[in-house]
Each structure stands twice: as C-alpha cells, then as structure tokens.
Amino acid sequence: MMKIHTTTAPFSENWCEQKERLLDRFAILNETDLLYIDGKKDEMLDKVRKILGTTQEELRNILKK
C-alpha cells in the first residue's frame, strides 16, 4: 500500500506549505498535480515542470523560494 504524504517534508520544508504557495502562485496547478506519493517525487516534479513549461533548474529555483 502506498503512503500519501500530506505533512511530511519531501523537500527542504513542509510540503503542505510549499504546495499551498505553488497553488497560489500558479493557477494552472491543482491539488492532484502536487500530490506527493512515496517513491514518486521525481515523477510528480516532472509533471509539474511540464505543466509550468520550465526546465528542471527553473523548477528547482521556484521550489527554493
């Protein structure tokens, strides 16, 4: 069974907070796009990157802010 994280920080900070900032900043994103599942972080980030039309480096910079 897969664990779905809602409060664990897969990145440098609490993912719930980061996700809310992304949703506020990018209206094109939705909750499903930002669903974090154990072992699927890279796939989720690649999906977000494609939706936003950014490079991996640009997405990393967005996530650092």
Side-chain angles (χ1 to χ4, degrees):
M1 178 175 219
M2 285 189 277
K3 283 184 177 177
I4 298 176
H5 286 270
T6 56
T7 57
T8 305
F11 309 107
S12 61
E13 61 181 271
N14 185 298
W15 179 239
C16 285
E17 293 172 10
Q18 178 115 359
K19 179 173 72 170
E20 290 304 315
R21 280 196 300 277
L22 289 169
L23 290 170
D24 289 344
R25 186 170 173 196
F26 301 101
I28 194 169
L29 294 174
N30 62 49
E31 291 279 337
T32 305
D33 298 328
L34 299 171
L35 181 64
Y36 177 75
I37 299 172
D38 275 341
K40 301 285 185 177
K41 176 179 129 184
D42 291 337
E43 291 173 25
M44 185 254 318
L45 290 176
D46 192 48
K47 179 181 177 180
V48 170
R49 183 188 62 74
K50 288 176 183 175
I51 291 169
L52 296 178
T54 64
T55 65
Q56 287 179 340
E57 184 64 30
E58 289 169 329
L59 183 58
R60 266 194 293 273
N61 289 332
I62 290 168
L63 293 172
K64 286 180 184 179
K65 293 180 181 180

